[in-house]
Amino acid sequence: MKNENEFWRCNACGTVNPTTFAFCQHCMKPIDWEEEVLESDEHRQSHTFAVQEDSYPSQRFIGLVVDALVCVLFAIGFYFLFGNALDYVVGVFIMLLIVIAYFTLLEWLCGRTLGKVVAGTCVRNKKGRNISFWQALGRTLLRYLGIIDLLVFFFAGRPLHDIFTCIRVVIKR
């Protein structure tokens, strides 16, 4: 466990961060723990640090609306391209796979969907790093629990798909 009075300097942007953070608070790059740790309280008193904040419900709602619009645009485009050529059930199944791929691949590879970009948020695991493919897939599949997910969000402050996959949606700085 790293001492909360120690600091490290990010190689990518030069920002000084407490060693208790798992990623740079400025550029979001993961910490390379082999880097040299800086002096302690002198830096703490002369620098202020942004703490990793959970996203606000309004930010999550904005991201949801934008992602829903993107999925509707996917559906409309898919219908115009293949609407008459496919059976209804096959079309719905393929569209569902496209939506699952949209959320899973973007959250895994980029940490953000288009909705999260607009809302200014990103997804991170418990250590503050990008999530794995399996976490992204599990999170995407758990979204389809719908009303149960919404109820858990109101009572626990986090939706079920974030709790089960050990993920936080945080403000991107």
Side-chain angles (χ1 to χ4, degrees):
M1 180 90 181
K2 298 289 179 182
N3 183 349
E4 67 181 32
N5 293 327
E6 294 179 327
F7 298 85
W8 66 278
R9 184 175 306 278
C10 177
N11 283 338
C13 69
T15 303
V16 176
N17 296 279
T19 56
T20 55
F21 288 6
F23 57 93
C24 177
Q25 295 300 294
H26 177 68
C27 67
M28 303 294 280
K29 301 277 186 197
I31 290 176
D32 177 11
W33 288 114
E34 303 305 317
E35 295 178 33
E36 183 177 315
V37 174
L38 304 174
E39 318 317 326
S40 56
D41 287 328
E42 298 169 21
H43 289 283
R44 180 181 271 281
Q45 292 169 0
S46 63
H47 293 81
T48 56
F49 298 98
V51 177
Q52 180 182 6
E53 295 180 63
D54 284 333
S55 62
Y56 298 107
S58 59
Q59 287 176 302
R60 292 185 77 116
F61 181 74
I62 290 168
L64 173 72
V65 168
V66 171
D67 284 334
L69 289 173
V70 168
C71 290
V72 166
L73 291 175
F74 278 150
I76 291 170
F78 184 79
Y79 177 77
F80 281 119
L81 289 175
F82 305 106
N84 295 331
L86 295 175
D87 181 44
Y88 177 75
V89 174
V90 173
V92 168
F93 180 72
I94 292 173
M95 189 58 221
L96 183 64
L97 289 178
I98 291 171
V99 169
I100 289 171
Y102 165 76
F103 283 104
T104 301
L105 293 176
L106 284 178
E107 288 181 348
W108 171 50
L109 296 172
C110 306
R112 312 169 86 179
T113 59
L114 294 176
K116 286 179 183 57
V117 170
V118 170
T121 60
C122 59
V123 292
R124 295 286 182 244
N125 65 16
K126 283 197 250 184
K127 295 181 179 179
R129 297 194 173 130
N130 287 336
I131 63 176
S132 70
F133 172 79
W134 297 110
Q135 285 176 311
L137 180 62
R139 186 172 193 276
T140 299
L141 295 176
L142 285 170
R143 279 188 178 108
Y144 292 103
L145 294 177
I147 192 70
I148 297 170
D149 200 27
L150 189 60
L151 289 174
V152 170
F153 179 73
F154 282 120
F155 290 110
R158 291 174 57 202
L160 198 59
H161 61 266
D162 285 354
I163 293 170
F164 280 158
T165 56
C166 300
I167 291 173
R168 294 174 60 195
V169 176
V170 297
I171 298 172
K172 173 99 172 151
R173 300 246 182 229

